[in-house]
Amino acid sequence: MSLSGGTVPHHVAVIPCRYGSTRFPGKPLALLGDKPLMWHVYQRCQQAERIVETFIATDDPRIQEECRRLDMACLLTGDHPTGTDRVAECLRYVKADGYINVQGDEPFVSPAAIDAVSHALALSDPPVAAVNACAPLREAAAVLDHNVVKVVTRADGGALMFSRQPIPYPRDSRPVYVRQLGLYGFTVAALERFRALPQGVLEQAEGVEMLRFLEHSMEVRVLLVEDDGMAVDTPEDLRRARLSLDAAPPADGSGWPKDVTSSAGIPRL
């Protein structure tokens, strides 16, 4: 039974946006085409069939004002160390059965991938706290890029470790490397616990918030999807995104695949 009393869960998308990025200050407002980066992510969420509402979550009035200008729903939050902490605050303002955290620097994220995370979250039973979408890495440079977070899993698909280093180490084989997408699904209980927990040693060392779940023995389910998008972490990434903009599916959502879940293998230790 969903929040609204029906059989389909009430899932909302929250896009955490921070102005003061160390690597790219003002990133959510950087122009991709004639619209800010966050606008593109917002449109992808709006195109997802399982998402009831979409919100930008920010602590910066400049981002809030741009949301108002572009008619995007915005929640003003306090200052937080991570995007997931910001999403957790939104529990106070928006009631839902589940929260889909879509990072504001993934302008080409597939709406079908968002739906896949929502669907996987709805099918998950305790103790699963979160669903994390991931995609195969096809370029060696991305494997070595510390801006790209890699993940390895258990045999049953539960996350073992996230790292900015290439994991697993290719001692005697050539593993398939998988990158964490900025796309997560959380239960209400998971977010409530997450915001009450301190950052652990691994999370602080790697700068990867999903490690907070693992360090406190919480289950993270890895969902492998086909996604050829890119995360915009630096001004150079934005330049590449601008070159890719014309090749992306149109803003009305046509051209996105309906089924993006993959049967490809995930590297395991």
Side-chain angles (χ1 to χ4, degrees), residues 24 30-33 37 40 44 105-108 228-248:
F24 194 168
L31 289 180
L32 179 58
L37 197 63
H40 293 272
R44 302 296 181 241
D105 58 7
E106 296 267 0
F108 304 123
D228 292 324
M230 66 174 71
V232 177
D233 295 305
T234 66
E236 179 58 34
D237 291 336
L238 182 61
R239 284 188 283 272
R240 291 193 298 112
R242 286 168 176 162
L243 293 175
S244 300
L245 183 60
D246 291 340

PDB file of all heavy atoms in Angstrom, residues 24 30-33 37 40 44 105-108 228-248:
ATOM      1  N   PHE A  24      34.192  23.058  -8.919  1.00  0.00           N
ATOM      2  CA  PHE A  24      33.442  23.791  -9.944  1.00  0.00           C
ATOM      3  C   PHE A  24      32.413  24.692  -9.262  1.00  0.00           C
ATOM      4  O   PHE A  24      31.221  24.384  -9.238  1.00  0.00           O
ATOM      5  CB  PHE A  24      32.754  22.792 -10.883  1.00  0.00           C
ATOM      6  CG  PHE A  24      32.231  23.384 -12.169  1.00  0.00           C
ATOM      7  CD1 PHE A  24      31.817  22.544 -13.200  1.00  0.00           C
ATOM      8  CD2 PHE A  24      32.133  24.751 -12.374  1.00  0.00           C
ATOM      9  CE1 PHE A  24      31.334  23.049 -14.385  1.00  0.00           C
ATOM     10  CE2 PHE A  24      31.642  25.276 -13.549  1.00  0.00           C
ATOM     11  CZ  PHE A  24      31.251  24.416 -14.554  1.00  0.00           C
ATOM     12  N   ALA A  30      25.734  26.644 -14.224  1.00  0.00           N
ATOM     13  CA  ALA A  30      26.526  26.698 -15.454  1.00  0.00           C
ATOM     14  C   ALA A  30      25.649  26.322 -16.638  1.00  0.00           C
ATOM     15  O   ALA A  30      24.842  25.385 -16.573  1.00  0.00           O
ATOM     16  CB  ALA A  30      27.713  25.743 -15.345  1.00  0.00           C
ATOM     17  N   LEU A  31      25.798  27.033 -17.740  1.00  0.00           N
ATOM     18  CA  LEU A  31      24.917  26.832 -18.895  1.00  0.00           C
ATOM     19  C   LEU A  31      25.357  25.636 -19.726  1.00  0.00           C
ATOM     20  O   LEU A  31      26.517  25.481 -20.086  1.00  0.00           O
ATOM     21  CB  LEU A  31      24.889  28.077 -19.770  1.00  0.00           C
ATOM     22  CG  LEU A  31      24.158  29.297 -19.197  1.00  0.00           C
ATOM     23  CD1 LEU A  31      24.209  30.455 -20.184  1.00  0.00           C
ATOM     24  CD2 LEU A  31      22.715  28.953 -18.837  1.00  0.00           C
ATOM     25  N   LEU A  32      24.366  24.807 -20.038  1.00  0.00           N
ATOM     26  CA  LEU A  32      24.514  23.724 -21.003  1.00  0.00           C
ATOM     27  C   LEU A  32      23.458  23.998 -22.066  1.00  0.00           C
ATOM     28  O   LEU A  32      22.260  23.852 -21.817  1.00  0.00           O
ATOM     29  CB  LEU A  32      24.284  22.373 -20.335  1.00  0.00           C
ATOM     30  CG  LEU A  32      24.379  21.141 -21.245  1.00  0.00           C
ATOM     31  CD1 LEU A  32      25.739  21.050 -21.922  1.00  0.00           C
ATOM     32  CD2 LEU A  32      24.089  19.867 -20.449  1.00  0.00           C
ATOM     33  N   GLY A  33      23.897  24.436 -23.245  1.00  0.00           N
ATOM     34  CA  GLY A  33      22.950  25.004 -24.188  1.00  0.00           C
ATOM     35  C   GLY A  33      22.514  26.355 -23.654  1.00  0.00           C
ATOM     36  O   GLY A  33      23.342  27.155 -23.212  1.00  0.00           O
ATOM     37  N   LEU A  37      22.663  23.708 -15.894  1.00  0.00           N
ATOM     38  CA  LEU A  37      22.876  22.270 -15.777  1.00  0.00           C
ATOM     39  C   LEU A  37      21.735  21.586 -15.026  1.00  0.00           C
ATOM     40  O   LEU A  37      21.228  20.537 -15.440  1.00  0.00           O
ATOM     41  CB  LEU A  37      24.212  22.041 -15.063  1.00  0.00           C
ATOM     42  CG  LEU A  37      24.855  20.669 -15.150  1.00  0.00           C
ATOM     43  CD1 LEU A  37      25.213  20.326 -16.587  1.00  0.00           C
ATOM     44  CD2 LEU A  37      26.097  20.633 -14.266  1.00  0.00           C
ATOM     45  N   HIS A  40      18.461  20.593 -16.923  1.00  0.00           N
ATOM     46  CA  HIS A  40      18.486  19.370 -17.735  1.00  0.00           C
ATOM     47  C   HIS A  40      18.181  18.140 -16.878  1.00  0.00           C
ATOM     48  O   HIS A  40      17.436  17.246 -17.300  1.00  0.00           O
ATOM     49  CB  HIS A  40      19.840  19.225 -18.415  1.00  0.00           C
ATOM     50  CG  HIS A  40      20.111  20.274 -19.441  1.00  0.00           C
ATOM     51  ND1 HIS A  40      19.742  20.157 -20.768  1.00  0.00           N
ATOM     52  CD2 HIS A  40      20.698  21.497 -19.338  1.00  0.00           C
ATOM     53  CE1 HIS A  40      20.101  21.237 -21.438  1.00  0.00           C
ATOM     54  NE2 HIS A  40      20.686  22.071 -20.589  1.00  0.00           N
ATOM     55  N   ARG A  44      14.841  15.469 -17.032  1.00  0.00           N
ATOM     56  CA  ARG A  44      14.949  14.015 -17.075  1.00  0.00           C
ATOM     57  C   ARG A  44      14.073  13.373 -15.997  1.00  0.00           C
ATOM     58  O   ARG A  44      13.417  12.362 -16.229  1.00  0.00           O
ATOM     59  CB  ARG A  44      16.403  13.567 -16.890  1.00  0.00           C
ATOM     60  CG  ARG A  44      17.378  14.131 -17.914  1.00  0.00           C
ATOM     61  CD  ARG A  44      17.080  13.659 -19.325  1.00  0.00           C
ATOM     62  NE  ARG A  44      18.028  14.187 -20.275  1.00  0.00           N
ATOM     63  CZ  ARG A  44      17.701  14.971 -21.306  1.00  0.00           C
ATOM     64  NH1 ARG A  44      16.451  15.338 -21.483  1.00  0.00           N
ATOM     65  NH2 ARG A  44      18.612  15.391 -22.160  1.00  0.00           N
ATOM     66  N   ASP A 105      24.518  16.944 -11.343  1.00  0.00           N
ATOM     67  CA  ASP A 105      25.570  17.050 -12.354  1.00  0.00           C
ATOM     68  C   ASP A 105      25.508  15.914 -13.370  1.00  0.00           C
ATOM     69  O   ASP A 105      26.490  15.597 -14.023  1.00  0.00           O
ATOM     70  CB  ASP A 105      26.954  17.090 -11.695  1.00  0.00           C
ATOM     71  CG  ASP A 105      27.239  15.875 -10.822  1.00  0.00           C
ATOM     72  OD1 ASP A 105      26.424  14.927 -10.827  1.00  0.00           O
ATOM     73  OD2 ASP A 105      28.272  15.873 -10.131  1.00  0.00           O
ATOM     74  N   GLU A 106      24.313  15.274 -13.510  1.00  0.00           N
ATOM     75  CA  GLU A 106      24.117  14.200 -14.482  1.00  0.00           C
ATOM     76  C   GLU A 106      23.072  14.648 -15.512  1.00  0.00           C
ATOM     77  O   GLU A 106      21.939  14.160 -15.532  1.00  0.00           O
ATOM     78  CB  GLU A 106      23.654  12.916 -13.778  1.00  0.00           C
ATOM     79  CG  GLU A 106      24.655  12.317 -12.822  1.00  0.00           C
ATOM     80  CD  GLU A 106      25.546  11.263 -13.480  1.00  0.00           C
ATOM     81  OE1 GLU A 106      25.373  11.010 -14.691  1.00  0.00           O
ATOM     82  OE2 GLU A 106      26.409  10.710 -12.774  1.00  0.00           O
ATOM     83  N   PRO A 107      23.429  15.576 -16.423  1.00  0.00           N
ATOM     84  CA  PRO A 107      22.429  16.166 -17.311  1.00  0.00           C
ATOM     85  C   PRO A 107      21.844  15.208 -18.331  1.00  0.00           C
ATOM     86  O   PRO A 107      20.774  15.486 -18.892  1.00  0.00           O
ATOM     87  CB  PRO A 107      23.204  17.289 -18.010  1.00  0.00           C
ATOM     88  CG  PRO A 107      24.631  16.834 -17.980  1.00  0.00           C
ATOM     89  CD  PRO A 107      24.777  16.139 -16.658  1.00  0.00           C
ATOM     90  N   PHE A 108      22.502  14.082 -18.595  1.00  0.00           N
ATOM     91  CA  PHE A 108      22.017  13.147 -19.599  1.00  0.00           C
ATOM     92  C   PHE A 108      21.500  11.850 -18.977  1.00  0.00           C
ATOM     93  O   PHE A 108      21.358  10.850 -19.673  1.00  0.00           O
ATOM     94  CB  PHE A 108      23.128  12.830 -20.608  1.00  0.00           C
ATOM     95  CG  PHE A 108      23.694  14.046 -21.273  1.00  0.00           C
ATOM     96  CD1 PHE A 108      25.055  14.321 -21.203  1.00  0.00           C
ATOM     97  CD2 PHE A 108      22.881  14.945 -21.949  1.00  0.00           C
ATOM     98  CE1 PHE A 108      25.590  15.450 -21.813  1.00  0.00           C
ATOM     99  CE2 PHE A 108      23.410  16.074 -22.563  1.00  0.00           C
ATOM    100  CZ  PHE A 108      24.758  16.331 -22.499  1.00  0.00           C
ATOM    101  N   ASP A 228      24.798   5.854 -20.946  1.00  0.00           N
ATOM    102  CA  ASP A 228      25.965   6.443 -21.603  1.00  0.00           C
ATOM    103  C   ASP A 228      26.122   7.920 -21.261  1.00  0.00           C
ATOM    104  O   ASP A 228      26.829   8.656 -21.957  1.00  0.00           O
ATOM    105  CB  ASP A 228      25.864   6.275 -23.120  1.00  0.00           C
ATOM    106  CG  ASP A 228      25.984   4.817 -23.542  1.00  0.00           C
ATOM    107  OD1 ASP A 228      26.766   4.104 -22.900  1.00  0.00           O
ATOM    108  OD2 ASP A 228      25.283   4.404 -24.481  1.00  0.00           O
ATOM    109  N   GLY A 229      25.468   8.364 -20.200  1.00  0.00           N
ATOM    110  CA  GLY A 229      25.577   9.760 -19.801  1.00  0.00           C
ATOM    111  C   GLY A 229      26.929  10.062 -19.186  1.00  0.00           C
ATOM    112  O   GLY A 229      27.818   9.206 -19.121  1.00  0.00           O
ATOM    113  N   MET A 230      27.081  11.293 -18.741  1.00  0.00           N
ATOM    114  CA  MET A 230      28.343  11.681 -18.112  1.00  0.00           C
ATOM    115  C   MET A 230      28.059  12.592 -16.934  1.00  0.00           C
ATOM    116  O   MET A 230      27.084  13.342 -16.923  1.00  0.00           O
ATOM    117  CB  MET A 230      29.240  12.411 -19.118  1.00  0.00           C
ATOM    118  CG  MET A 230      28.701  13.746 -19.582  1.00  0.00           C
ATOM    119  SD  MET A 230      29.862  14.642 -20.637  1.00  0.00           S
ATOM    120  CE  MET A 230      29.805  13.648 -22.113  1.00  0.00           C
ATOM    121  N   ALA A 231      28.898  12.486 -15.931  1.00  0.00           N
ATOM    122  CA  ALA A 231      28.819  13.390 -14.789  1.00  0.00           C
ATOM    123  C   ALA A 231      29.678  14.613 -15.082  1.00  0.00           C
ATOM    124  O   ALA A 231      30.789  14.488 -15.595  1.00  0.00           O
ATOM    125  CB  ALA A 231      29.298  12.697 -13.528  1.00  0.00           C
ATOM    126  N   VAL A 232      29.151  15.776 -14.769  1.00  0.00           N
ATOM    127  CA  VAL A 232      29.896  17.020 -14.966  1.00  0.00           C
ATOM    128  C   VAL A 232      30.514  17.405 -13.624  1.00  0.00           C
ATOM    129  O   VAL A 232      29.859  17.989 -12.764  1.00  0.00           O
ATOM    130  CB  VAL A 232      28.982  18.148 -15.502  1.00  0.00           C
ATOM    131  CG1 VAL A 232      29.763  19.453 -15.624  1.00  0.00           C
ATOM    132  CG2 VAL A 232      28.395  17.755 -16.848  1.00  0.00           C
ATOM    133  N   ASP A 233      31.777  17.035 -13.447  1.00  0.00           N
ATOM    134  CA  ASP A 233      32.484  17.319 -12.201  1.00  0.00           C
ATOM    135  C   ASP A 233      33.377  18.546 -12.298  1.00  0.00           C
ATOM    136  O   ASP A 233      33.696  19.161 -11.273  1.00  0.00           O
ATOM    137  CB  ASP A 233      33.339  16.116 -11.793  1.00  0.00           C
ATOM    138  CG  ASP A 233      32.501  14.893 -11.455  1.00  0.00           C
ATOM    139  OD1 ASP A 233      31.608  15.016 -10.592  1.00  0.00           O
ATOM    140  OD2 ASP A 233      32.728  13.834 -12.048  1.00  0.00           O
ATOM    141  N   THR A 234      33.808  18.889 -13.511  1.00  0.00           N
ATOM    142  CA  THR A 234      34.773  19.969 -13.719  1.00  0.00           C
ATOM    143  C   THR A 234      34.364  20.808 -14.920  1.00  0.00           C
ATOM    144  O   THR A 234      33.531  20.384 -15.741  1.00  0.00           O
ATOM    145  CB  THR A 234      36.177  19.384 -13.988  1.00  0.00           C
ATOM    146  OG1 THR A 234      36.141  18.680 -15.250  1.00  0.00           O
ATOM    147  CG2 THR A 234      36.599  18.434 -12.874  1.00  0.00           C
ATOM    148  N   PRO A 235      34.942  22.003 -15.081  1.00  0.00           N
ATOM    149  CA  PRO A 235      34.664  22.801 -16.281  1.00  0.00           C
ATOM    150  C   PRO A 235      35.003  22.056 -17.572  1.00  0.00           C
ATOM    151  O   PRO A 235      34.309  22.229 -18.586  1.00  0.00           O
ATOM    152  CB  PRO A 235      35.553  24.031 -16.078  1.00  0.00           C
ATOM    153  CG  PRO A 235      35.656  24.179 -14.599  1.00  0.00           C
ATOM    154  CD  PRO A 235      35.728  22.765 -14.077  1.00  0.00           C
ATOM    155  N   GLU A 236      36.018  21.222 -17.547  1.00  0.00           N
ATOM    156  CA  GLU A 236      36.362  20.439 -18.742  1.00  0.00           C
ATOM    157  C   GLU A 236      35.246  19.452 -19.080  1.00  0.00           C
ATOM    158  O   GLU A 236      34.919  19.233 -20.259  1.00  0.00           O
ATOM    159  CB  GLU A 236      37.680  19.697 -18.518  1.00  0.00           C
ATOM    160  CG  GLU A 236      38.108  18.824 -19.690  1.00  0.00           C
ATOM    161  CD  GLU A 236      38.256  19.602 -20.995  1.00  0.00           C
ATOM    162  OE1 GLU A 236      38.662  20.783 -20.959  1.00  0.00           O
ATOM    163  OE2 GLU A 236      37.959  19.013 -22.059  1.00  0.00           O
ATOM    164  N   ASP A 237      34.645  18.845 -18.043  1.00  0.00           N
ATOM    165  CA  ASP A 237      33.504  17.953 -18.280  1.00  0.00           C
ATOM    166  C   ASP A 237      32.355  18.707 -18.933  1.00  0.00           C
ATOM    167  O   ASP A 237      31.658  18.174 -19.805  1.00  0.00           O
ATOM    168  CB  ASP A 237      33.021  17.352 -16.960  1.00  0.00           C
ATOM    169  CG  ASP A 237      33.999  16.361 -16.365  1.00  0.00           C
ATOM    170  OD1 ASP A 237      34.810  15.794 -17.114  1.00  0.00           O
ATOM    171  OD2 ASP A 237      33.955  16.179 -15.131  1.00  0.00           O
ATOM    172  N   LEU A 238      32.134  19.951 -18.509  1.00  0.00           N
ATOM    173  CA  LEU A 238      31.055  20.750 -19.090  1.00  0.00           C
ATOM    174  C   LEU A 238      31.311  21.010 -20.567  1.00  0.00           C
ATOM    175  O   LEU A 238      30.388  20.980 -21.383  1.00  0.00           O
ATOM    176  CB  LEU A 238      30.903  22.067 -18.328  1.00  0.00           C
ATOM    177  CG  LEU A 238      29.771  22.988 -18.820  1.00  0.00           C
ATOM    178  CD1 LEU A 238      28.415  22.298 -18.701  1.00  0.00           C
ATOM    179  CD2 LEU A 238      29.771  24.302 -18.041  1.00  0.00           C
ATOM    180  N   ARG A 239      32.560  21.252 -20.926  1.00  0.00           N
ATOM    181  CA  ARG A 239      32.884  21.457 -22.339  1.00  0.00           C
ATOM    182  C   ARG A 239      32.568  20.198 -23.146  1.00  0.00           C
ATOM    183  O   ARG A 239      32.034  20.278 -24.264  1.00  0.00           O
ATOM    184  CB  ARG A 239      34.357  21.849 -22.481  1.00  0.00           C
ATOM    185  CG  ARG A 239      34.638  23.299 -22.085  1.00  0.00           C
ATOM    186  CD  ARG A 239      36.059  23.718 -22.411  1.00  0.00           C
ATOM    187  NE  ARG A 239      37.024  23.188 -21.448  1.00  0.00           N
ATOM    188  CZ  ARG A 239      37.357  23.803 -20.335  1.00  0.00           C
ATOM    189  NH1 ARG A 239      36.810  24.965 -20.015  1.00  0.00           N
ATOM    190  NH2 ARG A 239      38.255  23.267 -19.513  1.00  0.00           N
ATOM    191  N   ARG A 240      32.862  19.031 -22.576  1.00  0.00           N
ATOM    192  CA  ARG A 240      32.531  17.785 -23.271  1.00  0.00           C
ATOM    193  C   ARG A 240      31.018  17.589 -23.344  1.00  0.00           C
ATOM    194  O   ARG A 240      30.491  17.099 -24.346  1.00  0.00           O
ATOM    195  CB  ARG A 240      33.180  16.596 -22.556  1.00  0.00           C
ATOM    196  CG  ARG A 240      34.691  16.567 -22.669  1.00  0.00           C
ATOM    197  CD  ARG A 240      35.266  15.230 -22.223  1.00  0.00           C
ATOM    198  NE  ARG A 240      34.984  14.938 -20.821  1.00  0.00           N
ATOM    199  CZ  ARG A 240      34.188  13.984 -20.392  1.00  0.00           C
ATOM    200  NH1 ARG A 240      33.555  13.205 -21.263  1.00  0.00           N
ATOM    201  NH2 ARG A 240      34.002  13.772 -19.093  1.00  0.00           N
ATOM    202  N   ALA A 241      30.312  17.980 -22.279  1.00  0.00           N
ATOM    203  CA  ALA A 241      28.858  17.848 -22.265  1.00  0.00           C
ATOM    204  C   ALA A 241      28.221  18.728 -23.339  1.00  0.00           C
ATOM    205  O   ALA A 241      27.230  18.335 -23.972  1.00  0.00           O
ATOM    206  CB  ALA A 241      28.310  18.208 -20.891  1.00  0.00           C
ATOM    207  N   ARG A 242      28.788  19.899 -23.544  1.00  0.00           N
ATOM    208  CA  ARG A 242      28.258  20.780 -24.584  1.00  0.00           C
ATOM    209  C   ARG A 242      28.408  20.164 -25.965  1.00  0.00           C
ATOM    210  O   ARG A 242      27.541  20.316 -26.817  1.00  0.00           O
ATOM    211  CB  ARG A 242      28.951  22.143 -24.501  1.00  0.00           C
ATOM    212  CG  ARG A 242      28.480  22.982 -23.317  1.00  0.00           C
ATOM    213  CD  ARG A 242      29.356  24.190 -23.071  1.00  0.00           C
ATOM    214  NE  ARG A 242      28.809  25.023 -21.990  1.00  0.00           N
ATOM    215  CZ  ARG A 242      29.505  25.934 -21.321  1.00  0.00           C
ATOM    216  NH1 ARG A 242      30.800  26.127 -21.619  1.00  0.00           N
ATOM    217  NH2 ARG A 242      28.943  26.643 -20.363  1.00  0.00           N
ATOM    218  N   LEU A 243      29.506  19.438 -26.180  1.00  0.00           N
ATOM    219  CA  LEU A 243      29.700  18.759 -27.456  1.00  0.00           C
ATOM    220  C   LEU A 243      28.714  17.602 -27.621  1.00  0.00           C
ATOM    221  O   LEU A 243      28.331  17.257 -28.744  1.00  0.00           O
ATOM    222  CB  LEU A 243      31.135  18.236 -27.561  1.00  0.00           C
ATOM    223  CG  LEU A 243      32.243  19.287 -27.639  1.00  0.00           C
ATOM    224  CD1 LEU A 243      33.612  18.620 -27.605  1.00  0.00           C
ATOM    225  CD2 LEU A 243      32.095  20.147 -28.887  1.00  0.00           C
ATOM    226  N   SER A 244      28.314  17.013 -26.500  1.00  0.00           N
ATOM    227  CA  SER A 244      27.409  15.856 -26.538  1.00  0.00           C
ATOM    228  C   SER A 244      25.940  16.257 -26.572  1.00  0.00           C
ATOM    229  O   SER A 244      25.079  15.405 -26.837  1.00  0.00           O
ATOM    230  CB  SER A 244      27.637  14.971 -25.309  1.00  0.00           C
ATOM    231  OG  SER A 244      28.965  14.501 -25.265  1.00  0.00           O
ATOM    232  N   LEU A 245      25.650  17.503 -26.316  1.00  0.00           N
ATOM    233  CA  LEU A 245      24.256  17.927 -26.151  1.00  0.00           C
ATOM    234  C   LEU A 245      23.416  17.627 -27.386  1.00  0.00           C
ATOM    235  O   LEU A 245      22.284  17.140 -27.277  1.00  0.00           O
ATOM    236  CB  LEU A 245      24.196  19.425 -25.830  1.00  0.00           C
ATOM    237  CG  LEU A 245      22.796  20.001 -25.569  1.00  0.00           C
ATOM    238  CD1 LEU A 245      22.142  19.297 -24.379  1.00  0.00           C
ATOM    239  CD2 LEU A 245      22.874  21.501 -25.308  1.00  0.00           C
ATOM    240  N   ASP A 246      23.958  17.881 -28.571  1.00  0.00           N
ATOM    241  CA  ASP A 246      23.192  17.664 -29.799  1.00  0.00           C
ATOM    242  C   ASP A 246      22.888  16.190 -30.036  1.00  0.00           C
ATOM    243  O   ASP A 246      21.916  15.850 -30.713  1.00  0.00           O
ATOM    244  CB  ASP A 246      23.949  18.223 -31.003  1.00  0.00           C
ATOM    245  CG  ASP A 246      24.010  19.749 -30.989  1.00  0.00           C
ATOM    246  OD1 ASP A 246      23.161  20.353 -30.293  1.00  0.00           O
ATOM    247  OD2 ASP A 246      24.888  20.314 -31.650  1.00  0.00           O
ATOM    248  N   ALA A 247      23.724  15.305 -29.470  1.00  0.00           N
ATOM    249  CA  ALA A 247      23.533  13.878 -29.681  1.00  0.00           C
ATOM    250  C   ALA A 247      22.589  13.251 -28.663  1.00  0.00           C
ATOM    251  O   ALA A 247      22.182  12.105 -28.826  1.00  0.00           O
ATOM    252  CB  ALA A 247      24.881  13.159 -29.637  1.00  0.00           C
ATOM    253  N   ALA A 248      22.248  14.002 -27.613  1.00  0.00           N
ATOM    254  CA  ALA A 248      21.390  13.460 -26.561  1.00  0.00           C
ATOM    255  C   ALA A 248      19.952  13.365 -27.050  1.00  0.00           C
ATOM    256  O   ALA A 248      19.526  14.116 -27.931  1.00  0.00           O
ATOM    257  CB  ALA A 248      21.458  14.350 -25.323  1.00  0.00           C
TER     258      ALA A 248
END
